[in-house]
Amino acid sequence: MKRVWVLDRSESQAKEVLAGLPSLMYDSVVWVDAAGMLDAAQADPPDLIVVEHGIDVMPLVDVLRAIKRLDNRVPLIVVAEHTSSQGAIESMREGAYDYLPRETLPGGLEDAARRALSNDGGMIQTIGSPGPGDVAELGNMIGKTPEMIEIHKLIGQVADTDAPVLIQGESGTGKELVARALHYNSSRRDAPFVAVNCSALSPQSLEIDLFGWGGEGKERGPSRTELADGGTIFIDEIDAMELENQGRLLTVLEDGYFERPRSRRRIRTDVRVIAATSASIVGCMKSGEFRVDLFYRLKVVSVFMPPLRDRRDDIPCLAEHFLNRAAAKMRRSIDGISPAAVELLQEYPWPGNVRELEQATQRAVALNRTGVMMPEDFETLRDEQESWPGLRLGQASGLENAVRYEFEKRLAAQERDISRIVVSDVERVLADAAVAAVDGNQVKAARLLGISRNTLRKRVEKA
């Protein structure tokens, strides 16, 4: 029987955690004394340790580092009552196996424990241990939805490696914020973070900007690749990079050097490359506009940023963050936001994603007269929504874009059987829409869709 220890602030809270572990499968022990638990683990380590993120007796980072020092390394799962991007990144960076919101218990813990105790040990290896407090200020990268928590965890796992990262997602979803979080949570944090947007420059200007100039003429300063030496270079909208420059970037990734345009002089560089795109890289490869070898070299680690319409539960905390920041910048007194205004924000489709939400809150703060944000402060959103007939309550901008989005997301996650999953999702949405259109009459809904009632019932039950 596997031995599991739970460290929490009180025995009652620890027992709530233990409800997620079947007693017949695990021999469980509750601890409220972190130092005592670590002493006992040094002498006879358990198979798994579960720690509550808010323990008062010892900082979580110290507990994680002490467990990493054990001869028989024990997987550790962090349970957080109040999740945060910083908590998730820091926990995973320090070697935790998983980071779980408390509300996912008991099922989430049972699943995580089973994986952690699998035959291969389930351990996620992290490289290096930055000092305490060296966590990036993530700014707008706020979110507590499951999708965002998984991104925070992934950042913690890979930040202190030199693995290239490809970040995909619609414009305005926060791809650069992910890149910055990766940099500032790595051992490269004291070196430069240099960003370049390929779509903002002509091919020749981008060539010079990234790799310098080796021809005759006016003396030029160091390229961005040279400026980023020892640090990170973030290449945004990489799909707009033309093929010759893609070849130079591939050489940087594979061989650690580049040649200046119009020159054969090799320049050594030590940079971590993080790239981002809002386009379909797969489509660019099919059309011959993007190198297949570069694509696979970049996506050693792949991150897919979900659009805001797919993480509506994050909108209230994002709006509050942006409102407070805008109010401080404009020297306005804002006491809060009304429930009706929050509902309006959650219903809007946000084609511009988080960036559009930030701009909308800035405009609302500038025009507000009462100190409380009301729906009328966001009145322009209603006008804009009417001009986006394909964007209603979480839909993408048309069926084709919705399907392409689902495909790219699942491709980035390296899922299999994508066709079956996406088709099943579409069938479920159609079934729900048909039932709603006929006031719940499943016979009429089935007739509308041209399917049997049994088939309709199965599709509705998937929701």
Side-chain angles (χ1 to χ4, degrees):
M1 184 178 290
K2 298 291 187 180
R3 299 166 59 227
V4 178
W5 291 359
V6 177
L7 175 64
D8 212 321
R9 285 173 290 180
S10 69
E11 288 191 17
S12 60
Q13 286 187 301
K15 289 177 180 178
E16 290 179 10
V17 173
L18 285 175
L21 300 174
S23 58
L24 296 178
M25 295 177 60
Y26 302 103
D27 177 18
S28 304
V29 176
V30 169
W31 294 86
V32 293
D33 174 13
M37 184 201 73
L38 292 171
D39 287 342
Q42 187 70 49
D44 184 19
D47 298 297
L48 173 67
I49 297 176
V50 181
V51 179
E52 205 280 325
H53 183 265
I55 53 174
D56 301 321
V57 289
M58 182 181 290
L60 177 63
V61 168
D62 292 342
V63 174
L64 287 163
R65 291 176 179 171
I67 291 171
K68 285 170 66 175
R69 289 194 294 268
L70 295 176
D71 291 337
N72 181 15
R73 192 173 177 194
V74 180
L76 185 143
I77 295 173
V78 177
V79 174
E81 185 167 356
H82 303 291
T83 57
S84 68
S85 57
Q86 177 174 322
I89 292 173
E90 191 171 58
S91 297
M92 303 305 287
R93 188 184 65 184
E94 294 297 341
Y97 172 71
D98 209 343
Y99 178 92
L100 303 175
R102 201 175 187 107
E103 59 264 27
T104 64
L105 305 184
L109 179 58
E110 183 178 0
D111 179 62
R114 184 170 59 252
R115 287 185 282 108
L117 295 170
S118 61
N119 292 333
D120 61 3
M123 288 304 297
I124 295 172
Q125 301 292 330
T126 54
I127 300 174
S129 296
D134 292 329
V135 179
E137 173 57 49
L138 298 182
N140 305 352
M141 207 175 104
I142 294 169
K144 298 182 180 181
T145 54
E147 295 86 355
M148 292 305 296
I149 289 174
E150 289 303 314
I151 290 171
H152 299 154
K153 286 159 58 174
L154 181 61
I155 291 170
Q157 289 171 238
V158 305
D160 212 25
T161 72
D162 283 334
V165 180
L166 178 62
I167 308 169
Q168 301 178 75
E170 295 179 9
S171 178
T173 50
K175 297 187 289 295
E176 184 169 346
L177 290 171
V178 174
R180 290 183 179 276
L182 286 164
H183 173 76
Y184 289 111
N185 282 281
S186 76
S187 56
R188 294 175 177 266
R189 71 179 68 82
D190 294 326
F193 175 91
V194 177
V196 59
N197 189 321
C198 298
S199 64
L201 299 170
S202 68
Q204 185 177 11
S205 296
L206 178 63
E207 178 182 64
I208 296 171
D209 200 45
L210 272 177
F211 304 111
W213 179 257
E216 298 179 356
K218 186 179 179 181
E219 184 69 22
R220 299 176 186 268
S223 67
R224 288 182 183 262
T225 306
E226 291 170 90
L227 291 173
D229 189 47
T232 301
I233 187 164
F234 172 59
I235 305 175
D236 199 6
E237 302 299 348
I238 194 168
D239 57 285
M241 180 182 286
E242 56 96 33
L243 290 171
E244 186 175 355
N245 285 330
Q246 291 178 31
R248 287 195 175 92
L249 180 60
L250 185 63
T251 302
V252 171
L253 287 163
E254 293 185 338
D255 301 319
Y257 73 86
F258 66 93
E259 293 181 355
R260 289 186 186 278
R262 318 301 183 266
S263 170
R264 293 187 176 181
R265 178 191 169 200
R266 290 185 175 183
I267 299 175
R268 285 284 166 188
T269 183
D270 171 26
V271 294
R272 183 187 195 174
V273 177
I274 301 176
T277 178
S278 57
S280 169
I281 291 288
V282 173
C284 293
M285 288 192 295
K286 286 183 177 180
S287 64
E289 297 173 336
F290 201 88
R291 294 180 61 131
V292 176
D293 50 1
L294 178 59
F295 171 70
Y296 286 108
R297 192 66 182 81
L298 285 170
K299 70 182 295 289
V300 173
V301 176
S302 186
V303 179
F304 193 94
M305 290 298 292
L308 188 56
R309 59 184 173 274
D310 280 359
R311 40 182 292 226
R312 294 181 183 277
D313 289 344
D314 284 337
I315 290 176
C317 57
L318 281 165
E320 182 180 6
H321 171 76
F322 291 139
L323 287 170
N324 289 337
R325 193 163 72 176
K329 187 174 182 179
M330 299 179 191
R331 298 184 295 279
R332 303 291 302 273
S333 178
I334 301 296
D335 298 321
I337 181 170
S338 70
V342 172
E343 183 179 358
L344 171 65
L345 295 180
Q346 289 185 300
E347 288 183 351
Y348 182 70
W350 300 111
N353 293 295
V354 179
R355 185 183 296 124
E356 184 186 9
L357 174 60
E358 181 176 17
Q359 293 168 348
T361 54
Q362 289 174 349
R363 182 171 60 239
V365 168
L367 298 176
N368 179 266
R369 298 179 180 179
T370 65
V372 177
M373 308 307 296
M374 303 297 289
E376 50 266 30
D377 293 312
F378 300 95
E379 194 65 36
T380 54
L381 293 180
R382 290 175 174 168
D383 298 335
E384 291 171 5
Q385 187 167 3
E386 291 178 0
S387 67
W388 290 82
L391 289 169
R392 288 287 192 273
L393 296 177
Q395 297 175 356
S397 56
L399 179 61
E400 182 179 355
N401 283 345
V403 172
R404 286 184 180 276
Y405 158 71
E406 286 296 327
F407 172 76
E408 294 289 346
K409 178 176 70 174
R410 298 182 187 283
L411 178 67
Q414 298 183 331
E415 294 185 17
R416 297 181 181 274
D417 203 8
I418 296 176
S419 176
R420 181 189 60 78
I421 296 171
V422 174
V423 170
S424 178
D425 286 345
V426 172
E427 288 175 341
R428 176 181 52 78
V429 172
L430 279 172
D432 289 343
V435 170
V438 293
D439 298 323
N441 188 315
Q442 291 192 353
V443 174
K444 290 183 179 179
R447 191 178 299 127
L448 275 176
L449 295 175
I451 59 178
S452 70
R453 186 181 179 185
N454 285 338
T455 299
L456 175 74
R457 186 182 296 114
K458 290 177 181 178
R459 293 178 183 178
V460 170
E461 287 173 354
K462 291 179 182 178

